[in-house]
Amino acid sequence: MSPSSHPTWRETLNSYLDRRLLWVFMLGCASGFPWLLIGSNMSGWLKDAGLTRTAIGLFGSIFAVYAINWMWAPLIDRVKLPVLHRTLGQRRSWIFLMQVIMLVCTLFIANTDPSFNLWLTSVLAFTIALASATQDIAVDAFRIDSFGEQEKSKMPQAAAMAVIGWWTGYSLPGYFAFINADSIGWNGVYYGMAGFIGLLILFTLFVGEPDSQRDELQAEAESRYAKRLNQGENSVLVWFSVTIVEPFAEFFRRNGVKVALTLLLFVFLFKIGEAFLGRMSIVFYKEIGFSNEQIGHYSKLIGWGATVIFTLIGSAINVRFGVVKGLLIGGIAMAASNLMFALMAQVGPNENLFLATIIVDNFTSAFATIAFVSFLTFLTGRAFSATQYALLASLGNLGRTTLSSFSGSLVDWIEQFEWIHNISWLDPWSFFFILTTIMVIPSLAMIVGLRKHFKKLQDMQKTA
């Protein structure tokens, strides 16, 4: 295949037979599951416990750690855990340790009642968020390390498996959680969730640590800094410079300061509307009249199946035609799909409309996410993959975690406007979902403005 040509559909399909993609899928499950533990599961429990929309939204502020995990990402690149590193390797040792921490905290949560001890529940959930955010650094680096610089054309496939794994870890256990919440209670649900973490730990022990030139590349960087700083290569100053400074300096050198800053702003804005919607979705479903069992069936089970199918389709399209068109088309579709929720707010608990909304939302979200994850991977260097990807992903998570914590307050604030209640086709929830659509527009404009840089990255993919 010539560098300028697209792969055939047969070549595209055959590229998914790489066994490394199975490892990416398994660890993707591990990344998605904690968002269920302290996200939709916890939102459902807090809603059933009688907490307000504002309180539930603010509880989500614990996700802020995902937006700042780049601050300790250099340690995941450089620090070797005693004993575990020799047994499991750099990436898997960190993943394993974080999963053990999450298992212990989940067992403690299963013995709490947030309606009486919200403070303790919050502390445990925050600890899970911290461990999960750290795990994500290692999981993303594992995926990037699994494919060499010359295999960047396989990043859309790897992104697809990561996304499918994420949604599998988030949706399938979520389905069982919601359909059983009324019969066994949320405490019983969390005991079951602890068992699922045990399976994830087994996955981590089963997968193989990827081969990487990370140590050699970091040694080269240490040599450069030692000469520049007139220090020995084993000095603390050199170690600190290579660990903390070099990952960020290399990113700006490779892209240029102006383009790098623009890229970072784009990453921050791209999925902010989806983040606001996602934080309030469970509360919205309950308020318009859907039961826990209906939410589990449609949002979790059917949503998961739709995501798997549409992710594979979206990744195949991105493999053939690159991520530039995927980012633009996916962004537009993702924003427009939010209007389906505005329609649901008007119609009420109609199961056919619920099904249609879930299918449309998962299709557009999967398509956009594949292009987005592939794009972030293209921006990442190999010597400090954990740090650079964490920087990019954390910016993408900033709106998803920190700002969206005010989503409940936004709905309550909108509800105070009398003029909204006087318009027959508009209500607070509908207006909220229209706002989440508008939030996507700035990032779409930036895609157009960055099209030349995107084209350069796409050409690099073809010639790799």
Side-chain angles (χ1 to χ4, degrees):
M1 183 181 67
S2 64
S4 60
S5 65
H6 295 297
T8 65
W9 284 114
R10 179 183 293 274
E11 290 171 334
T12 298
L13 294 175
N14 286 339
S15 68
Y16 286 88
L17 300 179
D18 194 322
R19 188 174 66 172
R20 292 172 295 179
L21 296 176
L22 177 60
W23 308 152
V24 172
F25 165 79
M26 288 182 173
L27 293 177
C29 293
S31 286
F33 182 70
W35 288 77
L36 170 69
L37 274 182
I38 55 179
S40 58
N41 269 12
M42 189 59 68
S43 294
W45 194 356
L46 296 179
K47 183 64 179 176
D48 289 345
L51 272 72
T52 65
R53 288 184 300 224
T54 297
I56 294 172
L58 290 176
F59 185 91
S61 62
I62 61 175
F63 284 93
V65 295
Y66 288 91
I68 60 172
N69 66 350
W70 59 271
M71 297 176 67
W72 60 90
L75 301 179
I76 313 303
D77 263 331
R78 299 275 284 164
V79 174
K80 294 177 172 57
L81 295 175
V83 182
L84 289 178
H85 177 269
R86 292 196 301 271
T87 306
L88 301 175
Q90 182 72 5
R91 303 311 186 193
R92 288 195 302 155
S93 61
W94 278 99
I95 295 170
F96 175 81
L97 178 60
M98 295 304 109
Q99 289 174 344
V100 170
I101 293 173
M102 287 188 278
L103 174 60
V104 173
C105 290
T106 301
L107 289 172
F108 275 109
I109 285 181
N111 286 283
T112 64
D113 185 345
S115 60
F116 291 101
N117 201 337
L118 184 60
W119 181 85
L120 177 59
T121 305
S122 300
V123 170
L124 292 170
F126 175 77
T127 305
I128 291 176
L130 186 62
S132 173
T134 305
Q135 174 193 243
D136 282 358
I137 299 170
V139 167
D140 290 329
F142 180 99
R143 184 183 73 254
I144 296 168
D145 290 351
S146 295
F147 299 91
E149 187 73 26
Q150 73 281 4
E151 296 181 290
K152 276 196 170 183
S153 60
K154 287 193 174 183
M155 287 307 169
Q157 297 95 314
M161 291 301 103
V163 171
I164 292 173
W166 195 99
W167 280 102
T168 299
Y170 177 78
S171 296
L172 280 189
Y175 165 71
F176 290 108
F178 276 90
I179 65 171
N180 290 297
D182 293 332
S183 59
I184 67 174
W186 285 107
N187 296 90
V189 165
Y190 271 80
Y191 278 116
M193 297 298 100
F196 190 81
I197 296 179
L199 291 177
L200 294 177
I201 292 175
L202 291 178
F203 285 164
T204 301
L205 297 175
F206 179 71
V207 303
E209 181 79 2
D211 295 327
S212 172
Q213 294 182 314
R214 178 180 58 255
D215 291 338
E216 292 84 350
L217 293 171
Q218 290 178 358
E220 292 176 5
E222 287 180 342
S223 179
R224 290 197 307 271
Y225 272 85
K227 293 178 181 178
R228 187 180 305 170
L229 299 172
N230 196 25
Q231 298 279 326
E233 292 186 13
N234 295 323
S235 73
V236 174
L237 181 59
V238 170
W239 187 91
F240 178 85
S241 299
V242 172
T243 302
I244 306 299
V245 178
E246 178 61 14
F248 306 105
E250 194 274 339
F251 175 80
F252 279 89
R253 284 199 308 269
R254 182 156 37 86
N255 293 286
V257 174
K258 182 178 179 181
V259 171
L261 290 175
T262 307
L263 288 170
L264 295 177
L265 182 59
F266 163 76
V267 169
F268 168 70
L269 292 173
F270 186 65
K271 302 191 77 173
I272 191 169
E274 183 189 37
F276 269 74
L277 184 152
R279 181 57 56 81
M280 282 291 107
S281 60
I282 298 297
V283 176
F284 168 68
Y285 298 149
K286 284 179 170 289
E287 287 196 5
I288 64 173
F290 287 112
S291 67
N292 281 330
E293 187 172 353
Q294 287 173 312
I295 293 171
H297 181 71
Y298 288 102
S299 178
K300 301 302 181 183
L301 184 61
I302 294 179
W304 168 75
T307 298
V308 170
I309 295 171
F310 295 139
T311 296
L312 289 172
I313 294 173
S315 67
I317 293 173
N318 277 285
V319 169
R320 286 212 70 197
F321 304 112
V323 301
V324 179
K325 293 180 181 178
L327 281 170
L328 186 58
I329 297 173
I332 294 172
M334 181 176 62
S337 69
N338 291 4
L339 298 176
M340 293 284 289
F341 289 86
L343 180 61
M344 280 183 65
Q346 294 294 316
V347 174
N350 182 292
E351 291 194 40
N352 291 329
L353 180 57
F354 194 7
L355 174 62
T357 301
I358 290 298
I359 291 176
V360 170
D361 182 59
N362 280 276
F363 169 70
T364 57
S365 178
F367 195 94
T369 300
I370 287 299
F372 188 61
V373 173
S374 299
F375 174 68
L376 297 188
T377 305
F378 290 144
L379 296 178
T380 303
R382 297 294 160 163
F384 304 95
S385 53
T387 304
Q388 291 184 357
Y389 192 93
L391 171 65
L392 297 168
S394 64
L395 280 172
N397 283 327
L398 182 59
R400 186 180 181 184
T401 57
T402 307
L403 297 182
S404 63
S405 298
F406 299 99
S407 54
S409 300
L410 179 58
V411 178
D412 290 338
W413 180 67
I414 292 171
E415 200 169 35
Q416 298 175 9
F417 294 124
E418 293 185 5
W419 62 270
I420 291 180
H421 298 278
N422 295 329
I423 301 176
S424 59
W425 55 270
L426 192 63
D427 62 68
W429 277 115
S430 296
F431 190 71
F432 170 75
F433 292 124
I434 292 171
L435 283 180
T436 64
T437 300
I438 296 173
M439 289 177 185
V440 184
I441 294 177
S443 65
L444 297 179
M446 296 187 73
I447 294 176
V448 176
L450 287 167
R451 62 188 182 279
K452 291 183 179 179
H453 196 73
F454 287 176
K455 182 63 166 59
K456 177 182 176 182
L457 291 173
Q458 190 178 36
D459 291 340
M460 289 172 59
Q461 173 193 358
K462 291 178 181 179
T463 57

